Amino acid sequence: MKKHDKGSAVGLIPLGLFLIMFLGTAAVTGDFYKMPVLVAFFIVSGVALAMNKNRSFTENVELFAKGAGHVDIMIMVLIFLLAGAFANVAREMGGVDSVVNFGLSIVPPSLLIPGIFLICCFISLSMGTSMGTIVAIAPIAIGIADKTAITYPIALGAVLSGAMFGDNLSMISDTTIAAVRTQGIDMKDKFKFNFFLVLPAAIATAIIFGLMTKGTTLALDGAYEYSFIKILPYLTVLIGALIGFNVMLVLTVGIVFAGILGIVGGSFDIFGLLQAVQEGMNGMMDLALIAVVVGGLVELIKDAGGIDWLLNTITSKIKSKKGAEFGIAALTSVADIATANNTIAIVIAGPLAKDIADEYHIDPRRTASLLDIWGSVWQGIIPWGGQLLAAAGLAGISPFMIVPYSIYPMLMAVMAIIGTLTGFPAFATKGKRVAE
């Protein structure tokens, strides 16, 4: 086992201060989103800059900039911006409506809730956003519940479960981008590894929702018009990324493809397309800036010995590769439960997880999957997470009522534990490659 410098717990003060600020604000206001995350990270970064007396303030700023401008962080930011642009252009072009209506037109009346789950799986996989999926599909699920004996929590549990499927797996999900960049692997490799691990959970979820709503049927009113060609940009991005093309190139092709369809179809003109690109990028701006600031903060914490101290503390409790995997799971879980944001949790836990994985020779594809899975597990369960709050708010119910029906996140946790205990899925070991 690799030996580390002993480090110093003092180096972790900025991170501890962030958690105190974030959780303290939530405790006082009852709102986990009251404290602006970017501002909080800026404040604690200032503390970190002032703490290290072995360097001048200017030298500390340069060290911060070095971490913030790391190649992995910059590529992550570029992918964030392109993913946001693609998702918004495809949505403005009418892609989301076509996907939803296509799904509803083929779902058997007796399998509406399992159908809603599967539709949400595809939409979230295509759009890369659980929140966008919930906002688009939750009103439809609520309408189905109003006309049947199905309760709001069950209907919204299906929506939430499907939304978290794509949040975890999508090639353009911010969590996937963060996970693969922190571990230095290709997106397609993480997808294949992750897919086989969570597929049993998805199948079981569809079956469980089918059994829970057995005997309930409803003929949906109206014609659900769709254009299959408007679904093609999503398929293009998904297939291109799976083949292994550079993900930034794939996203650019997706933006152009969706843009042409939007212009030809009259959804927008060339200036409307450019505006849609801008708005999509704006939607990812906060996340991109948070990634940059966290990158700088981690570099300062590392220089102050915080990372070495934390790594020594954790590895002293780890006795095996399985223990290391559970340690990575615990790190991600704590970070997500504390911040209520799985992407931020992965950005925080990712560098430390990489060190642990290197030390215990854990396949980087498994490490990236663990980060993404455990972030998505808790994001789909904690009542103060944005996904549950959004779903509950649309129905006017308590988010706690939906938690028992967050079936997919729970089964995802079960599969992750089984995977760690058994080594499933077992792929041939391959060397690390820089994610494209």
PDB file of all heavy atoms in Angstrom, residues 104 143 147 218-224:
ATOM      1  N   LEU A 104     -46.247   7.929 -24.955  1.00  0.00           N
ATOM      2  CA  LEU A 104     -47.637   7.783 -24.518  1.00  0.00           C
ATOM      3  C   LEU A 104     -48.495   7.085 -25.575  1.00  0.00           C
ATOM      4  O   LEU A 104     -49.470   6.405 -25.244  1.00  0.00           O
ATOM      5  CB  LEU A 104     -48.227   9.155 -24.195  1.00  0.00           C
ATOM      6  CG  LEU A 104     -47.678   9.847 -22.932  1.00  0.00           C
ATOM      7  CD1 LEU A 104     -48.224  11.254 -22.811  1.00  0.00           C
ATOM      8  CD2 LEU A 104     -48.010   9.036 -21.686  1.00  0.00           C
ATOM      9  N   GLY A 143     -51.966  13.879 -13.839  1.00  0.00           N
ATOM     10  CA  GLY A 143     -53.248  13.781 -14.548  1.00  0.00           C
ATOM     11  C   GLY A 143     -53.756  12.352 -14.591  1.00  0.00           C
ATOM     12  O   GLY A 143     -54.957  12.104 -14.439  1.00  0.00           O
ATOM     13  N   LYS A 147     -57.312  10.559 -12.611  1.00  0.00           N
ATOM     14  CA  LYS A 147     -58.374   9.838 -13.309  1.00  0.00           C
ATOM     15  C   LYS A 147     -58.426   8.355 -12.940  1.00  0.00           C
ATOM     16  O   LYS A 147     -59.226   7.608 -13.499  1.00  0.00           O
ATOM     17  CB  LYS A 147     -58.177   9.977 -14.825  1.00  0.00           C
ATOM     18  CG  LYS A 147     -58.303  11.418 -15.320  1.00  0.00           C
ATOM     19  CD  LYS A 147     -58.068  11.501 -16.824  1.00  0.00           C
ATOM     20  CE  LYS A 147     -58.177  12.942 -17.316  1.00  0.00           C
ATOM     21  NZ  LYS A 147     -57.946  13.046 -18.776  1.00  0.00           N
ATOM     22  N   LEU A 218     -56.601   3.029 -18.053  1.00  0.00           N
ATOM     23  CA  LEU A 218     -57.119   4.340 -18.432  1.00  0.00           C
ATOM     24  C   LEU A 218     -56.800   4.577 -19.897  1.00  0.00           C
ATOM     25  O   LEU A 218     -55.663   4.423 -20.327  1.00  0.00           O
ATOM     26  CB  LEU A 218     -56.474   5.450 -17.590  1.00  0.00           C
ATOM     27  CG  LEU A 218     -56.772   6.894 -18.025  1.00  0.00           C
ATOM     28  CD1 LEU A 218     -58.247   7.223 -17.806  1.00  0.00           C
ATOM     29  CD2 LEU A 218     -55.892   7.874 -17.286  1.00  0.00           C
ATOM     30  N   ALA A 219     -57.840   4.924 -20.651  1.00  0.00           N
ATOM     31  CA  ALA A 219     -57.632   5.289 -22.053  1.00  0.00           C
ATOM     32  C   ALA A 219     -57.289   6.777 -22.092  1.00  0.00           C
ATOM     33  O   ALA A 219     -58.096   7.618 -21.693  1.00  0.00           O
ATOM     34  CB  ALA A 219     -58.892   5.004 -22.866  1.00  0.00           C
ATOM     35  N   LEU A 220     -56.095   7.089 -22.528  1.00  0.00           N
ATOM     36  CA  LEU A 220     -55.661   8.480 -22.565  1.00  0.00           C
ATOM     37  C   LEU A 220     -56.454   9.259 -23.607  1.00  0.00           C
ATOM     38  O   LEU A 220     -56.729   8.776 -24.705  1.00  0.00           O
ATOM     39  CB  LEU A 220     -54.169   8.556 -22.886  1.00  0.00           C
ATOM     40  CG  LEU A 220     -53.249   7.933 -21.836  1.00  0.00           C
ATOM     41  CD1 LEU A 220     -51.812   7.930 -22.330  1.00  0.00           C
ATOM     42  CD2 LEU A 220     -53.346   8.699 -20.523  1.00  0.00           C
ATOM     43  N   ASP A 221     -56.837  10.488 -23.230  1.00  0.00           N
ATOM     44  CA  ASP A 221     -57.634  11.329 -24.122  1.00  0.00           C
ATOM     45  C   ASP A 221     -56.753  12.009 -25.159  1.00  0.00           C
ATOM     46  O   ASP A 221     -55.599  12.340 -24.901  1.00  0.00           O
ATOM     47  CB  ASP A 221     -58.376  12.407 -23.313  1.00  0.00           C
ATOM     48  CG  ASP A 221     -59.341  11.785 -22.309  1.00  0.00           C
ATOM     49  OD1 ASP A 221     -59.891  10.717 -22.623  1.00  0.00           O
ATOM     50  OD2 ASP A 221     -59.535  12.382 -21.228  1.00  0.00           O
ATOM     51  N   GLY A 222     -57.316  12.240 -26.327  1.00  0.00           N
ATOM     52  CA  GLY A 222     -56.642  13.043 -27.337  1.00  0.00           C
ATOM     53  C   GLY A 222     -55.604  12.276 -28.132  1.00  0.00           C
ATOM     54  O   GLY A 222     -55.225  11.160 -27.808  1.00  0.00           O
ATOM     55  N   ALA A 223     -55.168  12.916 -29.213  1.00  0.00           N
ATOM     56  CA  ALA A 223     -54.141  12.327 -30.064  1.00  0.00           C
ATOM     57  C   ALA A 223     -52.778  12.860 -29.641  1.00  0.00           C
ATOM     58  O   ALA A 223     -52.621  14.056 -29.422  1.00  0.00           O
ATOM     59  CB  ALA A 223     -54.419  12.676 -31.523  1.00  0.00           C
ATOM     60  N   TYR A 224     -51.838  11.973 -29.517  1.00  0.00           N
ATOM     61  CA  TYR A 224     -50.489  12.364 -29.101  1.00  0.00           C
ATOM     62  C   TYR A 224     -49.606  12.430 -30.348  1.00  0.00           C
ATOM     63  O   TYR A 224     -49.063  11.429 -30.802  1.00  0.00           O
ATOM     64  CB  TYR A 224     -49.947  11.385 -28.067  1.00  0.00           C
ATOM     65  CG  TYR A 224     -50.644  11.529 -26.739  1.00  0.00           C
ATOM     66  CD1 TYR A 224     -51.802  10.830 -26.463  1.00  0.00           C
ATOM     67  CD2 TYR A 224     -50.157  12.407 -25.780  1.00  0.00           C
ATOM     68  CE1 TYR A 224     -52.466  10.987 -25.253  1.00  0.00           C
ATOM     69  CE2 TYR A 224     -50.806  12.574 -24.567  1.00  0.00           C
ATOM     70  CZ  TYR A 224     -51.963  11.862 -24.312  1.00  0.00           C
ATOM     71  OH  TYR A 224     -52.610  12.031 -23.113  1.00  0.00           O
TER      72      TYR A 224
END
